[in-house]
Amino acid sequence: MAPRSKPPLTLTTAQARAIWLRAQRLDAREPFGSGPQAVAAAVAHLGYVQIDTINVIERCHHHILYSRIPNYRRADLAVAQSAEKSVFEYWTHALSYVATSDLRFFLPAMKAHREEPRRWSAVGGREEARKLLARIRKQGALTIRDIDTDVLVEKAHLWASKKPSKGLLERAFYDGELVVSARAGMLKTYELMERHFAFEKRPTPASERQLTAYVLDRALRAQGVVSLDSICHLDAPRKKAVAELIAARVKRRELVPIRIEGAEKSPHWLPRDLLDAPATEPDSGLVHILSPFDPLIIQRKRTKAIVGYGHVFEAYLPKEKRVFGYFALPVLVGDRIVAVLDLKTDRAAGRLLIQQWSWIEGCESAEAKARIEAELSRFERFQLGREELVELE
């Protein structure tokens, strides 16, 4: 008779939460140090940092980095992207900053897009795109504002542009022929990929097997404890290959099957070295006012199961259906989401406005309020661009 396999170990939600916060580097004050090198290290560790156009408060790519780099400067990201070229922009589950060292894992997607464009924003014929690339090759990098020959057309999509050249730039970007070499707000400068990175030879594209391993390893690094849903967030077609790789690593005793208290129906896995590592408690004095697009928040079901709070981005809801507010931000104190703040930056008046302050049930306390208010003071200075005044206290 074959021996029975042992039942999966069970982690309490507190244990799973501590592992996840550690993996997200939200359990220590300065996990990456400071400067452009900290930006590159944070992006490489997290796997990606989402970019978004919404600027009710600071755009989420700056916000996510600020949450892990207390002395973060916006210029640090510009240096990493344009001078050191340690990060670049491409699509993950959304447009994101990614470590340049991971470029080869995105080359297959670029090749697939050249063969069959799928992005709604990437429009225009190959001949038109070739002419645009020839102009950039001859005249140098450009922005959409440098193109003044467009005949405006009706938008084909809510978020599309009336400028046909914008679709051509987007197509060449997703094809991997152009790269965003600089960004000023949401104005992007496009350059030839080979010229920007000064390749002697373009990296070899990852194989499908290597890409599957990359997706799994990225999740293990940034999440600690993983499920198929968390690994393949908005990438369901990859689940079968990832599940097969997980099974192989479990067999090699590299991964350990576990259950999480209260979420037993969803299989999870943990790297064996984390299972044997000594337990650490997040710094209870830390306060993070998180972006709704932060990697800790963006996977709503996972956050609900492990952190006990499932965020809803209420900007997309009618006003009468909102509970926490238009642009509500979860507040992490220690290892718990204790409040949700609906904030707005009034740049003209030089103020950070608190539209609504909502406590999570059972979390209100004078101590928590004092800590949040202290962090709000730093957060306001960052929001208003007073970066020389944002000190780590």
Side-chain angles (χ1 to χ4, degrees), residues 30 52 63 69 81 83 97 105 113 132 142 147 151-152 158-159 174 192 194 236 244 276 324-325 358 378:
E30 291 185 277
D52 198 80
H63 188 168
I69 307 171
Q81 179 172 19
Y97 283 104
F105 297 107
H113 195 276
L132 181 59
L142 55 71
I147 301 174
V151 177
L152 300 184
L158 178 63
W159 296 333
Y174 285 112
L192 299 175
E194 267 71 15
E244 291 171 352
D276 298 331
F324 294 120
S358 305
R378 289 186 65 252

Side-chain angles (χ1 to χ4, degrees), residues 211-383:
L211 187 51
T212 299
Y214 165 73
V215 169
L216 174 56
D217 290 335
R218 180 178 68 184
L220 289 168
R221 183 178 64 246
Q223 298 173 17
V225 54
V226 300
S227 68
L228 268 181
D229 283 341
S230 75
I231 299 163
C232 303
H233 178 54
L234 299 181
D235 189 16
R238 196 172 297 282
K239 284 186 176 181
K240 182 176 184 295
V242 170
E244 291 171 352
L245 181 55
I246 288 172
R249 291 192 182 183
V250 169
K251 189 173 182 179
R252 296 197 300 265
R253 298 177 59 79
E254 296 171 12
L255 293 179
V256 178
I258 62 164
R259 292 192 179 105
I260 295 177
E261 179 184 60
E264 289 86 355
K265 291 183 179 180
S266 179
H268 284 76
W269 296 269
L270 186 71
R272 182 166 292 279
D273 59 347
L274 288 185
L275 184 67
D276 298 331
T280 58
E281 292 290 330
D283 185 336
S284 61
L286 279 180
V287 177
H288 293 101
I289 301 169
L290 296 173
S291 166
F293 304 105
D294 192 278
L296 190 79
I297 301 299
I298 197 68
Q299 295 194 36
R300 315 304 191 199
K301 290 182 179 179
R302 175 179 170 88
T303 308
K304 179 67 174 176
I306 298 179
V307 183
Y309 168 79
H311 188 73
V312 175
F313 188 51
E314 296 183 2
Y316 295 149
L317 296 178
K319 186 175 182 179
E320 62 274 11
K321 292 188 177 181
R322 293 174 194 153
V323 176
F324 294 120
Y326 179 83
F327 205 77
L329 309 179
V331 182
L332 180 72
V333 177
D335 68 342
R336 300 304 300 267
I337 300 291
V338 303
V340 185
L341 307 183
D342 183 19
L343 301 180
K344 180 179 180 180
T345 303
D346 185 340
R347 294 173 178 85
R351 295 174 59 201
L352 180 66
L353 306 178
I354 302 177
Q355 312 281 72
Q356 181 178 326
W357 183 313
S358 305
W359 289 101
I360 301 300
E361 185 177 357
C363 294
E364 181 175 1
S365 73
E367 182 182 6
K369 191 171 191 295
R371 286 179 176 173
I372 294 169
E373 287 176 339
E375 176 56 28
L376 277 170
S377 180
R378 289 186 65 252
F379 194 65
E380 180 179 55
R381 295 196 294 273
F382 172 69
Q383 290 299 316

